[in-house]
Amino acid sequence: VGSEMCIRDSITPDSFYDGGINSSLDKVLKRIEEDIRNGAKIFEFGGKSSKPNFDDISAEEEWSRIEKYIEAVKKEFPDIVLALDSDTEEVIEKGLDAGIDIINDFNGFTSEGKLKLVEKYKPALVVMNNGRFDEIPNLKNYLENYFDERVKAILETGIEREKISIDPGVGYSSNNSMNTPEDMERIKSVKYLRDMRLPIMIAISRKSFNEKIFFQILNFHVYSFLKLICLRTCLWLMPLLLKSVVYSPAVLLLLVVC
């Protein structure tokens, strides 16, 4: 069992956490410096919200929101690992050209364009399932078939299997993510997805289903996250990468079980 701390900044005016009020460059750099002292190793940027019913934006706008942060962080902290949360081919390519190490795609690298970028750059990947607009009669079969298919397609690019992580997509359930029972089943899916022998990421904090389960408003979702950790233990949710905002919108505590 090992652990890493990762810092995530959503540079979006419609962020589901703070609406972008914590996104000034000076604040971000100071926060990263502090979090490095606290042991953080990985820092992820995202320029577009993927919350339910989000408003899509152009690739140019998405990249313009994060470009200066990536450049500044690379200059100030050249040894840290940088990740990019994006499903946009043009933004992914610009990020890789700028030195991004990890690409986190909530649509699971399903396009030929993204697979070509994986083949060219060979970055580390987080492959997520987005089931918001799918019919899912059996979640276990659906997720197993989805990840078998995605991992096979990604491996055909020549990338090493060790660079692939999977994410069952809590908050991206059918019925456009308004399916709390399914979200809970996605959390529990690590019990069988671990058989793929790949790292698993599960993002549960600041998600709206916490309100339905624990009757807590957004600012208290961190406490819901802690309750779900207790629930995870009770349900024997073993090897996983549990991602959550802790104490501030920038801090993600990553618990890695390998």
Side-chain angles (χ1 to χ4, degrees):
V1 178
S3 64
E4 292 286 353
M5 183 178 288
C6 173
I7 310 306
R8 187 183 192 282
D9 273 290
S10 294
I11 313 299
T12 62
D14 56 345
S15 167
F16 64 86
Y17 175 76
D18 68 354
I21 63 174
N22 290 298
S23 62
S24 76
L25 183 57
D26 286 343
K27 285 184 178 179
V28 169
L29 292 176
K30 289 178 181 177
R31 199 158 59 229
I32 288 177
E33 184 176 19
E34 179 180 353
D35 290 322
I36 288 175
R37 290 197 298 267
N38 291 329
K41 304 292 185 183
I42 306 169
F43 297 79
E44 181 179 275
F45 289 99
K48 180 174 71 174
S49 172
S50 60
K51 63 185 180 182
N53 302 307
F54 69 90
D55 294 324
D56 208 353
I57 59 176
S58 69
E60 291 76 14
E61 182 177 355
E62 182 181 348
W63 178 247
S64 70
R65 291 178 178 180
I66 58 178
E67 180 180 13
K68 67 178 181 180
Y69 299 92
I70 293 172
E71 292 178 350
V73 171
K74 291 289 289 185
K75 180 179 179 180
E76 294 293 323
F77 312 103
D79 296 327
I80 65 175
V81 177
L82 284 183
L84 173 62
D85 184 353
S86 178
D87 72 323
T88 310
E89 291 177 16
E90 297 92 331
V91 174
I92 290 172
E93 184 167 22
K94 288 179 180 294
L96 291 169
D97 284 336
I100 289 291
D101 304 291
I102 304 170
I103 301 297
N104 182 353
D105 177 17
F106 70 82
N107 279 322
F109 301 92
T110 52
S111 73
E112 287 300 317
K114 291 177 191 175
L115 291 176
K116 289 180 180 178
L117 291 174
V118 171
E119 182 177 17
K120 178 180 178 181
Y121 291 92
K122 301 294 192 298
L125 308 175
V126 179
V127 183
M128 204 197 83
N129 171 256
N130 179 3
R132 285 177 176 168
F133 305 104
D134 292 342
E135 294 292 332
I136 308 176
N138 185 304
L139 183 65
K140 181 176 185 294
N141 291 342
Y142 168 81
L143 288 177
E144 288 178 333
N145 291 336
Y146 173 85
F147 285 119
D148 282 342
E149 176 185 306
R150 298 314 316 135
V151 171
K152 179 180 179 181
I154 290 168
L155 288 175
E156 289 176 354
T157 68
I159 196 173
E160 299 91 338
R161 186 178 178 87
E162 292 74 18
K163 288 189 173 182
I164 303 173
S165 301
I166 60 176
D167 180 345
V170 177
Y172 293 78
S173 296
S174 55
N175 297 322
N176 200 20
S177 196
M178 299 302 181
N179 191 334
T180 299
E182 185 180 311
D183 284 329
M184 295 301 296
E185 289 302 312
R186 284 173 180 263
I187 294 173
K188 293 188 288 183
S189 70
V190 295
K191 291 188 291 185
Y192 49 85
L193 291 180
R194 64 185 181 182
D195 293 338
M196 296 191 70
R197 304 296 181 185
L198 291 169
I200 301 174
M201 173 181 287
I202 293 188
I204 61 173
S205 76
R206 310 289 181 183
K207 298 289 178 70
S208 61
F209 75 90
N210 284 300
E211 296 179 20
K212 300 175 184 177
I213 297 172
F214 301 111
F215 306 103
Q216 290 180 321
I217 61 175
L218 180 64
N219 288 340
F220 293 97
H221 282 187
V222 65
Y223 304 111
S224 301
F225 157 69
L226 295 174
K227 291 177 183 178
L228 280 171
I229 290 179
C230 296
L231 179 61
R232 177 182 75 92
T233 303
C234 294
L235 293 173
W236 299 96
L237 301 187
M238 296 301 287
L240 64 97
L241 173 57
L242 184 62
K243 180 179 75 172
S244 179
V245 181
V246 179
Y247 299 128
S248 80
V251 180
L252 296 176
L253 180 62
L254 299 185
L255 306 177
V256 185
V257 181
C258 300

